[in-house]
């Protein structure tokens, strides 16, 4: 059970704080909400009290005898601020402490996770950019806002990430700090290209060859990398919903579409993480029309041709052109034992020539669609790390290994 302080500032998405409180309390955590006075223009204190099962009193000068202005920060295991306005970011970066949220933030040594939400112009304004950079330099985790419809007719980056994404990243931050994964800080400002999901190779207008990948591991990697300050592009193959809290998101369907985007973006990347399950083959003559059983008969044959191996060709290109991009490959295997899994992983690391290979045992299919996983992380520097836990936590472990190879 964690003691969580949730700061809510004055933006239209303040109502989404209810989802954050729900998700934290349902996971057994204790939540103390500190709204700013402007937040209370958007959401009522009664709602926040009822959902958090805790009193809500944002007044700095009530219960002075309890020294509340520092007590809440001192006792917290985690502080989340969501939504965080441009005004809040400026005040926090400057260390202004003239309200309860401000004093709490200066008094805490707990991890702080901030989820900004504002109009695109405000998010991209040089003063906000500078304030976010200052906070990240101090170790504050500042999530990238989602891109989409904003309050008016406009759309762009500035939407509050979904409550589940905020909570998952915040809990992973606590977990990473407790395991002292200090290398993660090196990801700040690095450009990371991540693939996720499973490609679909069309047979005809309605049918395809696919696989069981849910994309959860790749999405988790993108969320954790973005929260560490990396500039993330997630290339998602057929993800069921648009992922939240991941930075730039590009949708693809086929292996060839994924290969084209990754080839285009590779020269400007510091790391490529191939978490996607890419089909090794595609149908040679897929039909733009629906194939009819009456024409195919009782027996029919599909001719498959090899797709490009995106990871292997990227590694080759990096080697030939002197690009300084690290590469991470994945291996989903069905081994008879842990020893065999590590042996297969070591051989795949050598064959693909990547810097890190993450192997997991998918026997029985249980890992697909699950929030939990068990992985072996092999590094070309010879290190091996093993991790079991949530896919978000596994992402911290994988990214920590990657960051250790970054200068
Ligand atoms: N991969 C890729 N392009 C492909 C196929 C796979 O980039 N056309 C990437 C995957 O994203 C993953 C890694 O390569 O990171 C391992 O893929 P896998 O299919 O397990 O490796 P294979 O070389 O195909 O080996 P296997 O014999 O086990 O199928």
């Amino acid at each position: 059970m964690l003691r969580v302080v949730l700061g809510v500032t004055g933006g239209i998405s303040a109502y989404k704080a209810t989802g954050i409180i729900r998700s934290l309390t349902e996971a057994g955590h204790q939540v103390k909400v500190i709204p700013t006075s402007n937040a209370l223009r958007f959401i009522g204190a009664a709602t926040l009290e009822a959902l958090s099962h805790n009193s809500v009193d944002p007044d700095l000068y009530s219960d002075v005898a309890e020294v509340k202005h520092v007590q809440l920060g001192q006792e917290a295991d985690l502080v989340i601020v969501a939504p965080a306005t441009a005004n809040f970011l400026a005040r926090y970066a400057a260390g202004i402490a003239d309200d309860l949220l401000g004093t709490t933030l200066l008094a805490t040594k707990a991890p702080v996770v901030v989820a900004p939400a504002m109009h695109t112009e405000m998010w991209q304004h040089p003063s906000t950019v500078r304030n976010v950079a200052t906070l990240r330099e101090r170790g504050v985790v500042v999530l990238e806002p989602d891109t989409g419809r904003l309050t008016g007719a406009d759309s762009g980056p500035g939407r509050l990430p979904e409550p589940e994404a905020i909570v998952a990243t915040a809990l992973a931050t606590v977990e990473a700090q407790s395991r002292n994964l200090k290398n993660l800080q090196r990801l700040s400002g690095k450009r990371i290209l991540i693939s996720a999901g499973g490609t679909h190779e069309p047979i005809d207008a309605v049918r395809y060859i696919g696989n069981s990948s849910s994309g959860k591991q790749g999405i988790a990697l993108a969320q954790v990398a973005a929260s560490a300050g990396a500039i993330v592009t997630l290339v998602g193959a057929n993800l069921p919903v648009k992922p939240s809290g991941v930075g730039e998101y590009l949708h693809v369907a086929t292996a060839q579409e994924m290969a084209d985007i990754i080839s285009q973006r590779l020269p400007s990347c510091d790391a490529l993480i191939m978490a996607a399950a890419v089909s090794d083959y595609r149908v040679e003559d897929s039909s733009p029309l629906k194939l009819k059983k009456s024409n195919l008969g009782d027996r029919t044959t599909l001719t498959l041709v090899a797709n490009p191996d995106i990871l292997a060709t990227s590694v080759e290109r990096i080697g030939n052109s002197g690009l300084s991009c690290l590469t991470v490959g994945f291996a989903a295997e069905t081994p008879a034992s842990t020893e065999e899994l590590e042996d297969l992983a070591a051989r795949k690391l050598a064959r693909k020539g990547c810097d890190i290979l993450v192997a997991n045992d998918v026997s029985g299919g249980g890992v697909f669609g699950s929030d939990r996983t068990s992985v072996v992380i092999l590094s070309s520097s010879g290190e091996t790390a093993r991790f079991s836990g949530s896919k978000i936590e596994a992402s911290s472990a994988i990214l920590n290994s990657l960051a250790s190879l970054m200068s």
Side-chain angles (χ1 to χ4, degrees):
M1 190 273 295
L2 297 175
R3 283 164 299 185
V4 185
V5 167
L6 174 64
V8 183
T9 73
I12 189 78
S13 56
Y15 74 93
K16 286 194 184 171
T18 55
I20 299 172
I21 301 168
R22 258 271 143 78
S23 159
L24 286 167
T25 52
E26 277 174 6
H29 304 297
Q30 205 182 79
V31 184
K32 180 78 184 168
V33 185
I34 308 180
T36 60
S37 50
N38 281 340
L40 293 175
R41 297 163 80 119
F42 291 95
I43 184 162
T47 306
L48 301 172
E49 285 194 357
L51 288 173
S52 68
H53 315 298
N54 250 322
S55 60
V56 170
D57 181 8
D59 181 10
L60 193 52
Y61 295 98
S62 66
D63 304 326
V64 175
E66 289 172 21
V67 206
K68 186 174 76 173
H69 72 293
V70 289
Q71 187 203 25
L72 291 172
Q74 285 168 342
E75 289 178 359
D77 301 308
L78 165 68
V79 181
I80 301 173
V81 183
T85 59
N87 180 52
F88 165 80
L89 294 174
R91 291 161 56 84
Y92 185 26
I96 293 173
D98 62 353
D99 64 2
L100 188 58
L101 183 56
T103 56
T104 300
L105 284 163
L106 292 201
T108 195
K109 290 197 166 57
V112 180
V113 176
V114 169
M118 62 199 74
H119 284 273
T120 305
E121 296 82 349
M122 297 173 83
W123 174 245
Q124 292 174 345
H125 191 280
S127 90
T128 307
V129 171
R130 183 66 249 158
N131 292 329
V132 168
T134 301
L135 293 172
R136 282 180 174 156
E137 276 158 28
R138 285 186 203 147
V140 175
V141 171
V142 183
L143 274 73
E144 283 294 305
D146 283 351
T147 298
R149 181 79 195 274
L150 302 170
T151 313
D154 50 344
S155 28
R159 277 175 68 84
L160 185 72
E162 292 307 317
E164 298 71 32
I166 296 171
V167 171
T169 308
L171 296 179
T173 302
V174 177
E175 209 269 341
Q177 293 203 2
S178 72
R179 282 194 289 138
N180 217 7
L181 299 181
K182 288 209 171 115
N183 293 331
L184 285 174
Q185 286 164 8
R186 294 196 200 167
L187 297 179
S188 183
K190 303 286 185 197
R191 295 187 174 271
I192 305 189
L193 188 55
I194 301 174
S195 70
T199 59
H200 288 180
E201 306 301 325
I203 296 170
D204 66 10
V206 293
R207 303 176 181 98
Y208 58 82
I209 298 173
N211 59 67
S212 306
S213 174
S214 65
K216 282 189 175 177
Q217 184 63 73
I219 294 170
L221 281 159
Q223 288 170 335
V224 175
S227 68
I231 303 156
V232 174
T233 298
L234 178 67
V235 184
N238 309 297
L239 301 180
V241 287
K242 190 178 166 196
S244 181
V246 297
E248 184 187 22
Y249 172 61
L250 303 168
H251 170 84
V252 296
T254 64
Q256 190 58 55
E257 285 169 21
M258 182 172 277
D260 290 345
I261 289 192
I262 288 178
S263 161
Q264 194 193 342
R265 297 293 185 102
L266 195 68
S268 59
C269 284
D270 297 300
L272 166 67
I273 304 178
M274 284 298 301
V278 185
S279 173
D280 287 324
Y281 296 93
R282 65 177 179 275
V283 178
E284 187 170 42
D285 292 312
S286 67
S287 165
L289 304 176
K290 186 180 172 200
L291 296 174
K292 302 299 268 177
K293 202 162 56 182
S294 49
N295 296 334
L296 296 173
D298 287 344
R299 198 179 180 86
T300 185
T301 307
L302 293 174
T303 304
L304 302 180
V305 289
N307 271 326
D309 186 322
I310 304 171
L311 180 60
T313 52
S314 299
V315 168
E316 199 183 332
R317 186 170 161 207
I318 291 164
N320 291 340
S321 56
L323 294 171
S324 61
C325 177
L326 294 169
T327 48
V328 180
F330 274 70
E333 307 286 359
T334 49
S337 64
T338 313
E339 291 71 40
E340 192 189 338
L341 176 67
E342 294 190 13
D343 186 47
L344 287 168
R347 278 192 269 151
K348 200 165 274 187
L349 177 73
R351 196 171 74 242
K352 298 256 179 181
C354 47
D355 297 289
I356 288 181
L357 194 109
V358 183
N360 60 354
D361 183 350
V362 295
S363 308
V367 80
F368 297 117
S370 166
D371 290 325
R372 302 189 71 75
T373 188
S374 184
V375 292
V376 178
I377 306 162
L378 296 190
S379 191
S380 57
S381 60
E383 277 158 46
T384 303
R386 295 169 190 85
F387 184 83
S388 290
S390 74
K391 287 184 176 171
I392 283 268
E393 291 165 353
S395 300
S396 303
I398 295 163
L399 290 166
N400 195 60
S401 296
L402 173 68
S404 71
L405 300 180
M406 284 179 171
S407 48

